[in-house]
Amino acid sequence: MLLEYKIEGGDFTQAGYASSQIKKTLKQLNVDPAVIKRVVIALYEAEVNIVAHAYRGVIYAQVEGSGIKLRLEDEGPGIPDIERAMTPGFSTASQQVREMGFGAGMGLPNISDNADSFKIESSVGKGTTLYIEIKFR
Amino acid sequence: MTISDLCTLVNGTVVCGANRMNESVEYAFASDLMSDVLTVKTNQFILITGLANTQSIRTVEMSDTPFLLLCRDKEVTEDMRELAEESNILIIKSPYSLFKCAGILYSAGLKPIY
């Protein structure tokens, strides 16, 4: 099953919609609740990142019997130094993002913590793609 | 602690999710930083926060817990209420500060996560 959601940069009213829909789908598939929580936490962090930093993006969720593969592609400024972006506490978030309760430099490390596999590809001036995999067992 | 007792202790009013008033909660986490809440591994805790926006509701939803306590009588917008009702999340509003809510509930036996 392949699910696809378009995300608009800067639109915080919709941030979390895709994660919420994927949570409902995984519940219907009777996936272990502890695994669902890891998936949606990682996904929600990544979705908020697109809203906070990119112009627009697409979330692709490939649900298989053994697990879920998430690919989040955005058009945006890109990440010049991925290693630095992964450092807990490092953030380039705007004041608006911080007022929403994010932007503390905890998102990418938390995605990594919840994922079985996590990879970032980024091109400055073009955008960023995140690959997140979580196994169901 | 039952949600009903918790609500009385913080002089709270139920905004939505009144069907959950007889449920119990053992743990609480107090923060305005949703990024921090998202690192909590425990399920079934109550989030005590002063941050009133749709992302505080989303954070509770993703954290797989159904309880939210909003301090200082922050306004719950229609968007927030709709999101909460969609996921059957209970919202209680208290006139007390986050510090006072946390202090009262800790003294009454609600446990910290860390």
Side-chain angles (χ1 to χ4, degrees), chain A residues 51-92:
Chain A
V51 176
H53 297 285
Y55 314 131
R56 66 194 64 81
V58 184
I59 295 176
Y60 301 95
Q62 178 78 49
V63 185
E64 294 163 358
S66 59
I68 186 164
K69 290 178 181 170
L70 302 164
R71 188 171 91 246
L72 297 97
E73 289 182 8
D74 77 47
E75 292 170 41
I79 305 172
D81 185 340
I82 291 173
E83 200 179 321
R84 197 166 175 216
M86 283 296 296
T87 308
F90 177 79
S91 177
T92 58

Side-chain angles (χ1 to χ4, degrees), chain A residues 12 20 23 37 44 101 113, chain B residues 34 38 41-42 55 61 63:
Chain A
F12 266 100
S20 181
K23 181 179 180 182
K37 180 165 175 172
Y44 180 53
D113 191 38
Chain B
M34 297 304 107
L38 290 170
K41 307 291 184 209
T42 311
Q55 296 317 310
E61 180 191 356
S63 299

Side-chain angles (χ1 to χ4, degrees), chain A residues 49-134:
Chain A
N49 273 347
I50 294 178
V51 176
H53 297 285
Y55 314 131
R56 66 194 64 81
V58 184
I59 295 176
Y60 301 95
Q62 178 78 49
V63 185
E64 294 163 358
S66 59
I68 186 164
K69 290 178 181 170
L70 302 164
R71 188 171 91 246
L72 297 97
E73 289 182 8
D74 77 47
E75 292 170 41
I79 305 172
D81 185 340
I82 291 173
E83 200 179 321
R84 197 166 175 216
M86 283 296 296
T87 308
F90 177 79
S91 177
T92 58
S94 67
Q95 190 56 34
Q96 185 210 1
V97 172
R98 290 170 201 262
E99 280 166 10
M100 297 302 291
F102 297 97
M106 299 173 77
L108 292 178
N110 199 25
I111 294 173
S112 181
D113 191 38
N114 282 286
D116 289 314
S117 148
F118 177 41
K119 192 172 78 174
I120 305 174
E121 284 173 0
S122 193
S123 177
V124 173
K126 287 186 178 171
T128 300
T129 301
L130 265 57
Y131 300 87
I132 301 165
E133 279 187 45
I134 295 173

